[in-house]
């Protein structure tokens, strides 16, 4: 009986499009979360050139990492980035410019490796094509402010728009399903990717804001149990927590924009006032929380537009499937902001929309400038 009920629930959730994030209908593909320290950690741990123990990427917090690098000369920092680019480029707490430098080196090395595979006649045509595509992808990231890069699996990346060292405020965009290194930005869907969202927010806010497009966790792919469950979010949440902990000393707590399945990741990050100024949920299937107060920081939710298919997802949580209460429902307790002018699941950051104007105000800390949804005229007084 229990198994039959579970199967019935799965069918119902998937039939309602079950939280696929930005990709629309697709074939389900189960994912294994990428966890643990970055590639190259073994060599980093064995490095004794400086005569001191290097902070362990597996357990050193951002504060410890920051203190370690503060004690090094610029030449010593550069040498570590050259010897261990994938480690230094992913160490939360390391200087931002050093991480950009390390990731540029790592991207170039991976590009050359994939290009060599693309030129190898011993490989099949399909493998050579895949290698060429990946090499071209790495090339497009050259010269950009890449804050994190991991080539394993589907690949992960984070990019900064603006200057983290001088900006008055910081924002982070956390995407939903079907996002990875290859789909981090797409010309055909400019506002439905973390890069596109971050670019528009930075353009609207100007130099006083720095925005991070963070594709730093393993996202669900297509319609499947991964999207209806929270396992991938549970693995991604701590990674988001470390990122935000590393940012907090530089611009105060960041405003975090959580799109679709990214809402579940944000909720699983265990954030407090020290890491996040606010969570902003958009196109959200739920957060696994019963009430906004459970998330411990101010929570805003963008009113769902009529053409966003996420509205058809059942707001249930049974036997580990579904993500619970609707964040736009009055009983959830989020501050409901207007998204007038937006269209579809990926249109909330489009220029000219009330949602983008509201996101800009929130990112800059100008909460009094937020336009509430028509059905929640007192949104400033919520939470």
């Amino acid at each position: 009986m229990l198994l039959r009920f579970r199967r019935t629930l799965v069918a119902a959730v998937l039939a309602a499009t079950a939280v696929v994030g930005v990709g629309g209908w697709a074939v389900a593909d189960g994912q294994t979360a990428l966890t643990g320290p970055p590639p190259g950690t073994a060599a980093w741990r064995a490095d004794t050139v400086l005569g001191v123990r290097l902070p362990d990427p597996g357990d050193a917090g951002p504060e410890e990492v920051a203190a370690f690098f503060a004690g090094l000369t610029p030449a010593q920092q550069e040498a570590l980035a050259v010897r261990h680019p994938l480690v230094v480029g992913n160490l939360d707490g390391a200087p931002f410019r050093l991480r950009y430098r390390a990731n540029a080196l790592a991207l170039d090395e991976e590009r050359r490796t994939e290009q060599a595979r693309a030129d190898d006649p011993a490989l099949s045509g399909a493998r050579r094509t895949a290698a060429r595509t990946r090499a071209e992808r790495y090339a497009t990231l050259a010269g950009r402010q890449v804050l994190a890069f991991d080539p394993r699996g589907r690949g992960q990346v984070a990019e900064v728009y603006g200057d983290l060292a001088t900006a008055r405020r910081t924002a982070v965009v956390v995407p939903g399903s079907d996002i990875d290194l290859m789909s981090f930005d797409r010309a055909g869907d400019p506002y439905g990717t973390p890069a596109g969202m971050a670019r528009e927010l930075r353009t609207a806010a100007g130099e006083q804001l720095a925005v991070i497009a963070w594709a730093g966790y393993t996202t669900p792919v297509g319609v499947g149990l991964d999207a209806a469950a929270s396992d991938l979010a549970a693995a991604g949440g701590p990674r988001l927590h470390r990122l935000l902990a590393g940012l907090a000393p530089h611009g105060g707590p960041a405003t975090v924009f959580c799109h679709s399945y990214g809402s579940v990741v944000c909720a699983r990050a265990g954030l407090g006032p020290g890491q996040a100024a606010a969570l902003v949920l958009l196109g959200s299937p739920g957060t696994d929380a019963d009430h906004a107060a459970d998330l411990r920081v101010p929570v805003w939710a963008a009113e769902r537009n009529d053409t966003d298919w996420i509205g058809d997802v059942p707001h249930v949580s049974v036997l580990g499937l579904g993500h619970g209460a609707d964040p736009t429902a009055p009983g959830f307790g989020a501050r409901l902001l207007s998204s007038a002018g937006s269209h579809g699941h990926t249109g909330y950051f489009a220029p000219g929309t009330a949602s983008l104007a509201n996101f800009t105000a929130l990112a800059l800390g100008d909460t009094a400038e937020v336009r509430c949804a028509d059905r929640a005229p007192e949104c400033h007084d919520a939470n």
Side-chain angles (χ1 to χ4, degrees), residues 334-374:
R335 309 177 189 194
L336 193 62
L337 55 85
S338 174
S339 62
S342 67
H343 298 282
H345 189 55
T346 61
Y348 293 97
F349 279 85
T353 59
S355 45
L356 178 60
N358 282 329
F359 297 163
T360 303
L362 289 173
L364 294 176
D366 300 329
T367 56
E369 299 301 315
V370 171
R371 173 182 165 187
C372 300
D374 289 342

Side-chain angles (χ1 to χ4, degrees), residues 149-345:
F149 165 63
D150 192 329
R152 293 177 295 176
R154 290 160 51 206
Q156 297 182 359
V157 65
E159 183 180 7
V160 177
Y161 297 82
D163 190 336
L164 284 170
T166 62
R168 180 174 66 87
R169 303 275 300 193
T170 306
V172 177
V173 174
V174 181
S177 298
D178 296 316
I179 294 296
D180 53 32
L181 183 69
M182 303 303 292
S183 58
F184 178 71
D185 50 6
R186 293 189 296 258
D189 186 18
Y191 315 123
T193 66
M197 294 176 186
R199 273 194 298 265
E200 291 304 321
L201 184 58
R202 158 71 178 178
T203 297
E207 294 183 358
Q208 56 190 321
L209 180 70
V211 188
I212 300 173
W214 184 75
Y217 78 103
T218 303
T219 68
V221 172
V223 178
L225 290 179
D226 282 345
S230 301
D231 294 356
L232 295 180
R239 299 168 76 88
L240 177 60
H241 183 102
R242 286 193 297 272
L243 170 80
L244 294 170
L247 296 176
H250 300 277
T255 303
V256 188
F257 294 86
C258 315
H259 181 237
S260 198
Y261 188 85
S263 302
V264 192
V265 178
C266 289
R268 291 301 186 103
L271 302 175
Q275 291 88 36
L279 297 182
V280 186
L281 312 178
L282 53 143
S284 174
T287 63
D288 292 341
D290 294 327
H291 194 274
D294 298 336
L295 301 180
R296 302 174 53 225
V297 296
V299 180
W300 298 78
E303 185 175 36
R304 194 166 44 241
N305 66 62
D306 292 339
T307 56
D308 185 348
W309 56 259
I310 204 76
D312 294 328
V313 171
H315 290 284
V316 298
S317 181
V318 181
L319 300 176
L321 296 174
H323 301 298
D326 180 358
T328 68
F332 186 72
R335 309 177 189 194
L336 193 62
L337 55 85
S338 174
S339 62
S342 67
H343 298 282
H345 189 55

Side-chain angles (χ1 to χ4, degrees), residues 86 89-90 103 106-107 110 138 146-151 156-158 181:
L86 281 170
N90 289 285
N103 285 317
L107 280 161
E110 292 296 324
Y138 296 146
V146 177
L147 187 66
F149 165 63
D150 192 329
Q156 297 182 359
V157 65
L181 183 69

